[in-house]
Amino acid sequence: MPHDNARQLSSARKREALVYGLDEQSSRLEMSLPMSALPYSVDALMRLCVRKARKGDDPTRVNPDVAFYFDKLADAREQYFSDRKLRVGNETALRKLKEKYTKRRKKLRTKRDTAVQSAVQIGLTDFESTLASGAFSWGLKLGPTLKKPGSGASRQTFQIPSEVSRSLPHLQASAVVRKAAQLTPQSRNSVVRALQLSLRRYYEHSILKLDINDFFGSIPHARLLAKLRSNGTIDSITLELVSALLVDFRRASGTARGVPQGVGLSSQLAEFYLSEFDRAIRSFEGVIFYSRYVDDIVIVIDSSANRALVDTRIGSELTGLGLVENRLKRQEIDTDADGCYATGRCSNGDQLEYLGYRFSNSGKTLSTMISERRMKLREKRLELAFSSWGRHAPYALHPNHGLDALLTDRLRYLSGNIRLRHSKSNVVVGIYFSNSALDVASPQLRELDAALATLIKINAPRMTNELRDRLERISFEQGFREKSFLRANQPRIDRIVACWRSTL
């Protein structure tokens, strides 16, 4: 029997290798692993689904059976809490109600898990058959065209179908490429905090800020594939999936450069492509700090002489990758002996701008401010909130209380914080959580409060006293200091941000 099992397992691995189109060397490597360890086995994709489900983003919910049981679980939970309210104070009834709900939830979860496994199995079977026949395609389609903030430029995004036979391989391929790049994801705030520590140098040093021109649209397909193949840790299935994505993109764009923006795998491929570049720059002599956030690069260097050397080597590295620097966005800062950014000694003024912040070092004190563009954006949104309210011509004698409440919520949204419930990982954004590295005593918060006060004064003749008093209690400075939250459901949030769609 043990020999029979071994033969069956070997045959299964060979079938899986054949289906995935593995080359001989890759087949030997991957067949030495347990079936459950292969990246595109049912076990691996089930584990992926579990991880995504914990974040409220199960990719199998597009399957009607899976969606049905998710809805049933939500209904059962809602009914349970509704019934609890009718039995408050009756401990016996509450206990029986909980026991009944627990049993029902367990049964529904079992049925849901069975439906999920079935959806994964069906999706994997479809994926395997199209891959084995050479007919696999991502079905890449056009997504929305997005305007680039601060300019009239726009960029075309792309999407892949949400069906399980595409979404799960896409997620798994992204995970494989991310692991191969050996990258530790960093949040914008953690990058800024690390940069602040490096900029608090009250002796001579240099700063170089660069931007890669059209980063996502410039990556050469041939060089990207060569780097992936030479990595040694990426399985042949993933290589085939990446190649299929680039083929789809070539058909859609007519060029053999770039990756489709809006597709998660593209972000991982771009990060992988520059991972060796990142490691090389960090190893250069004189580099104290290096950070790249997508295509924005900032480097702190110990002297202006070493900055010139680093600059030359960066140019060579980019040329080798087939990429070009956007010289219009370059900043070079050489400090004085006290580490201060002396006016006139650096290009683009005496302040460094990076990831929505401005940094300035004068009098041996590092100041961290909101970038000029972000300040203008908030001021613009304040104006749009009032103009949207004013277009309906409310007056104190004939107030529109619905619009009054909406204006109040919009100002609280701008001056406070909110949890985006339907985003990945329930992201928190707002005046504090989007600008947490800002100096606590920043005068910019008072500037925003002053701009709000001016708009209230201008529109006061059309306000009720109640509305004016309510608005005068709203404060950016207080929202930042106290980390105050606006609590609103998703339909309400959609109404709040509707008047800013063109500025988002």
Side-chain angles (χ1 to χ4, degrees):
M1 284 296 291
H3 293 293
D4 290 340
N5 288 339
R7 278 196 296 270
Q8 290 172 5
L9 182 59
S10 177
S11 298
R13 285 174 176 158
K14 288 178 181 176
R15 284 197 304 274
E16 193 150 331
L18 178 64
V19 166
Y20 291 151
L22 305 179
D23 58 37
E24 185 179 350
Q25 183 179 0
S26 298
S27 298
R28 285 198 300 271
L29 170 65
E30 292 176 28
M31 287 198 307
S32 66
L33 298 170
M35 285 285 286
S36 61
L38 293 173
Y40 299 88
S41 65
V42 172
D43 285 352
L45 297 184
M46 279 298 296
R47 289 195 297 271
L48 177 63
C49 283
V50 169
R51 289 196 298 272
K52 297 295 288 183
R54 286 172 181 165
K55 298 179 180 179
D57 189 27
D58 192 319
T60 63
R61 289 188 73 162
V62 296
N63 180 286
D65 291 337
V66 175
F68 174 79
Y69 286 112
F70 267 107
D71 290 342
K72 281 289 185 183
L73 279 163
D75 291 344
R77 178 181 172 82
E78 185 177 343
Q79 186 64 51
Y80 169 65
F81 283 105
S82 176
D83 290 344
R84 277 181 60 91
K85 295 176 183 177
L86 302 176
R87 293 165 175 78
V88 173
N90 188 335
E91 295 301 322
T92 301
L94 286 171
R95 185 177 66 254
K96 289 181 177 180
L97 179 65
K98 185 173 183 180
E99 289 173 355
K100 182 180 178 182
Y101 169 63
T102 302
K103 288 179 181 178
R104 176 165 172 71
R105 183 179 61 179
K106 185 177 180 179
K107 287 181 180 179
L108 287 172
R109 281 182 169 179
T110 300
K111 291 180 179 179
R112 178 203 61 191
D113 294 346
T114 300
V116 168
Q117 187 159 3
S118 176
V120 171
Q121 182 66 69
I122 292 170
L124 182 57
T125 300
D126 181 39
F127 168 65
E128 288 176 344
S129 62
T130 55
L131 198 64
S133 65
F136 179 83
S137 169
W138 285 107
L140 198 65
K141 56 186 180 181
L142 296 179
T145 301
L146 303 180
K147 290 184 179 179
K148 191 172 182 180
S151 73
S154 61
R155 57 185 176 90
Q156 178 64 58
T157 65
F158 295 82
Q159 297 172 342
I160 62 171
S162 59
E163 61 197 54
V164 176
S165 61
R166 296 296 177 270
S167 63
L168 282 181
H170 169 248
L171 291 170
Q172 190 69 311
S174 299
V176 171
V177 173
R178 181 170 59 251
K179 184 177 180 180
Q182 298 179 337
L183 297 173
T184 302
Q186 287 186 297
S187 68
R188 169 178 165 270
N189 282 334
S190 65
V191 171
V192 171
R193 297 285 186 187
L195 177 58
Q196 281 179 312
L197 291 175
S198 297
L199 293 178
R200 290 194 177 99
R201 297 179 182 278
Y202 306 123
Y203 47 84
E204 184 179 356
H205 60 279
S206 292
I207 303 166
L208 183 61
K209 179 177 174 266
L210 309 170
D211 179 273
I212 299 174
N213 189 49
D214 190 20
F215 175 38
F216 282 92
S218 300
I219 298 173
H221 292 182
R223 294 186 193 183
L224 172 59
L225 287 170
K227 280 184 172 292
L228 290 165
R229 291 191 184 105
S230 65
N231 180 265
T233 65
I234 300 178
D235 62 275
S236 58
I237 311 162
T238 302
L239 289 173
E240 188 169 347
L241 294 181
V242 171
S243 180
L245 180 67
L246 298 181
V247 168
D248 278 10
F249 183 61
R250 275 200 299 274
R251 289 171 181 161
S253 64
T255 177
R257 300 180 74 91
V259 290
Q261 294 189 58
V263 175
L265 178 54
S266 294
S267 298
Q268 302 306 327
L269 290 171
E271 289 298 312
F272 175 88
Y273 191 66
L274 280 186
S275 58
E276 290 182 11
F277 171 85
D278 295 337
R279 287 189 281 270
I281 304 303
R282 289 191 180 95
S283 69
F284 289 170
E285 182 180 354
V287 172
I288 299 169
F289 173 86
Y290 169 85
S291 174
R292 179 180 59 80
Y293 198 86
V294 189
D295 56 356
D296 287 335
I297 298 170
V298 65
I299 312 169
V300 181
I301 308 160
D302 62 5
S303 68
S304 57
N306 275 332
R307 176 178 64 74
L309 293 173
V310 168
D311 199 3
T312 300
R313 293 186 67 181
I314 287 174
S316 298
E317 292 283 342
L318 288 176
T319 299
L321 291 168
L323 302 175
V324 177
E325 179 193 346
N326 183 348
R327 303 287 295 189
L328 296 177
K329 293 186 177 181
R330 161 180 285 252
Q331 276 191 282
E332 302 171 357
I333 300 177
D334 293 328
T335 73
D336 61 20
D338 294 324
C340 297
Y341 309 164
T343 303
R345 293 192 60 190
C346 63
S347 57
N348 298 337
D350 59 348
Q351 296 175 340
L352 170 69
E353 290 216 3
Y354 192 62
L355 299 185
Y357 289 94
R358 280 185 291 159
F359 304 92
S360 180
N361 196 347
S362 60
K364 294 189 176 183
T365 301
L366 178 71
S367 299
T368 303
M369 300 158 280
I370 302 174
S371 70
E372 184 176 352
R373 190 188 73 81
R374 284 193 167 220
M375 281 291 289
K376 288 181 177 178
L377 183 61
R378 287 194 178 271
E379 290 168 354
K380 179 66 175 176
R381 289 180 178 177
L382 278 174
E383 293 171 4
L384 288 172
F386 278 95
S387 64
S388 177
W389 172 82
R391 277 196 301 272
H392 298 274
Y395 286 91
L397 294 178
H398 303 285
N400 186 324
H401 294 291
L403 290 174
D404 287 356
L406 185 57
L407 173 62
T408 304
D409 280 353
R410 282 174 172 158
L411 299 183
R412 286 175 175 164
Y413 182 97
L414 289 172
S415 62
N417 303 278
I418 193 163
R419 189 179 301 277
L420 302 179
R421 304 255 175 213
H422 292 279
S423 67
K424 294 179 181 178
S425 305
N426 288 333
V427 173
V428 180
V429 297
I431 191 63
Y432 174 80
F433 289 96
S434 298
N435 307 280
S436 62
L438 181 67
D439 294 340
V440 175
S442 172
Q444 291 175 303
L445 297 172
R446 292 192 292 275
E447 289 175 21
L448 290 171
D449 281 340
L452 173 57
T454 298
L455 288 167
I456 293 172
K457 184 176 180 180
I458 292 171
N459 291 276
R462 293 187 291 175
M463 294 181 183
T464 63
N465 291 335
E466 180 186 0
L467 175 61
R468 187 173 64 252
D469 291 343
R470 195 187 312 151
L471 299 187
E472 287 176 347
R473 290 195 293 271
I474 296 173
S475 166
F476 285 87
E477 195 170 13
Q478 182 179 338
F480 183 88
R481 186 178 60 253
E482 298 181 2
K483 306 179 184 62
S484 56
F485 273 81
L486 169 68
R487 305 193 183 279
N489 57 28
Q490 193 58 44
R492 186 64 174 172
I493 293 173
D494 292 340
R495 284 200 69 196
I496 288 171
V497 302
C499 70
W500 306 319
R501 289 295 183 193
S502 62
T503 65
L504 287 174

